[in-house]
């Protein structure tokens, strides 16, 4: 008996040691992988640029000037802003998922559960369908910015409704917040279904492609919208990491540990909503990034949010940059909606996580 206990303790010690080593190397390794993924993404797409010409195209070498004019146009006007925006969208979605899982103390929680994505999708679908109406004609001056603005406004409105429903006398009920989110998701999906029913063929095609997610048409302006939310999110993550760690022990223990639990809830909810809303407004609905990335990282580097949150940002960025590179390469010159790829990878991983938790599979 004592031998078995000693062997088990030794195994736990080895796993803890391996996890500490992985944690110490996680951030530098993820930064290196993201840099490699970004460089590879620069060279692939409908207009391929050999990696050997990238230094000249980036202005780092004077060789190959006959080709750099086109290369520089493709890189600086299309590819670089797209890769930057894609990385930020992935980082925002993954960070929102990590905060959500810490807040709900459930590793399977996801921002999509609270309806923020669905609220944005309903507003975006409404913008597509009503663009041709008299009211839509009045908003034509917004042109290409109308869709992301509508999606962001829909996400913010959803957040405000959820917060109003779940808060009473200065206290926020996470359970009510989640249940209200499920209900609002159902309402938003019903609204989207109605819009799909009344849409004409062009509008139906636009709604379908937006719902599948895409990073096409991203400009420096759209990328600039993401940057301040990401910076604010990273700063907020540094402040709430310890609170999320203590919240795992329960609200009472977190309170006795010096955490203002209600303020932690409010900051977390606002950050999850802002991160998800601004990401959805640029990319459309992209699933599974927020649930799969932090959960897998938790298995490798442990549950401490001080490391888990920045690692989630980097890993989400890597996943999205890789998926977007595949999306604009495998069917070039056409482009596959990126949501199809994230679902194709994320859904099997999600099922594996469920099976592993039920003891039906093992790593």
């Amino acid at each position: 008996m004592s031998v078995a206990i000693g062997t088990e303790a030794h195994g736990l010690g080895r796993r803890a040691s391996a996890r500490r080593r992985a944690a110490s190397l996680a951030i530098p390794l993820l930064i290196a992988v993201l840099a490699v993924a970004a460089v590879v993404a620069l060279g692939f797409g409908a207009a391929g640029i050999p990696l050997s010409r990238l230094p000249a195209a980036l202005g780092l070498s004077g060789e190959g000037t006959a080709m750099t004019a086109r290369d520089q146009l493709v890189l600086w006007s299309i590819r670089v802003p797209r890769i930057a925006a894609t990385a930020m969208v992935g980082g925002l979605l993954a960070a929102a998922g990590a905060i959500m899982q810490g807040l709900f103390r459930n590793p399977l929680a996801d921002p999509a559960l609270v309806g923020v994505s669905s609220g944005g999708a309903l507003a975006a679908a409404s913008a597509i369908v009503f663009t041709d109406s008299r009211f839509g004609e009045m908003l034509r001056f917004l042109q290409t910015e109308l869709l992301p603005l509508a999606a962001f406004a829909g996400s913010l409105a959803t957040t405000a409704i959820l917060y109003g429903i779940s808060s009473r006398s200065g206290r926020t009920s996470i359970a009510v917040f989640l249940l209200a989110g499920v209900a609002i998701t159902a309402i938003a999906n019903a609204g989207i279904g109605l819009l799909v029913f009344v849409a004409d063929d062009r509008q139906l095609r636009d709604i379908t492609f937006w719902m599948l997610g895409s990073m096409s048409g991203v400009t420096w302006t759209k990328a600039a919208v993401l940057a301040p939310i990401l910076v604010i999110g990273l700063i907020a993550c540094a402040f709430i990491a310890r609170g999320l760690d203590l919240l795992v022990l329960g609200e009472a223990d977190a309170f006795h540990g010096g955490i203002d639990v209600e303020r932690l809830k409010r900051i977390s909810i606002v950050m999850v909503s802002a991160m998800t809303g601004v990401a959805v407004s640029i990319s459309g609905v992209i699933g599974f990034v927020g649930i799969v990335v932090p959960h897998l990282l938790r298995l490798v580097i442990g549950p401490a949010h001080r490391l888990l949150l920045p690692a989630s940002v980097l890993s989400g960025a890597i996943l999205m940059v890789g998926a977007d590179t595949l999306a604009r390469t495998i069917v070039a010159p056409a482009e596959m909606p990126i949501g199809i790829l994230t679902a194709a990878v994320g859904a099997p991983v999600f099922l594996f996580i469920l099976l592993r938790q039920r003891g039906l599979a093992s790593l």
Side-chain angles (χ1 to χ4, degrees), residues 185 225 282 355 360:
T185 298
V225 171
I282 300 298
L355 292 173
L360 299 179

Side-chain angles (χ1 to χ4, degrees), residues 338-355:
I338 192 171
I340 294 177
L341 291 174
T342 58
V345 175
V349 172
F350 183 67
L351 285 174
F352 175 76
I353 292 171
L354 289 176
L355 292 173

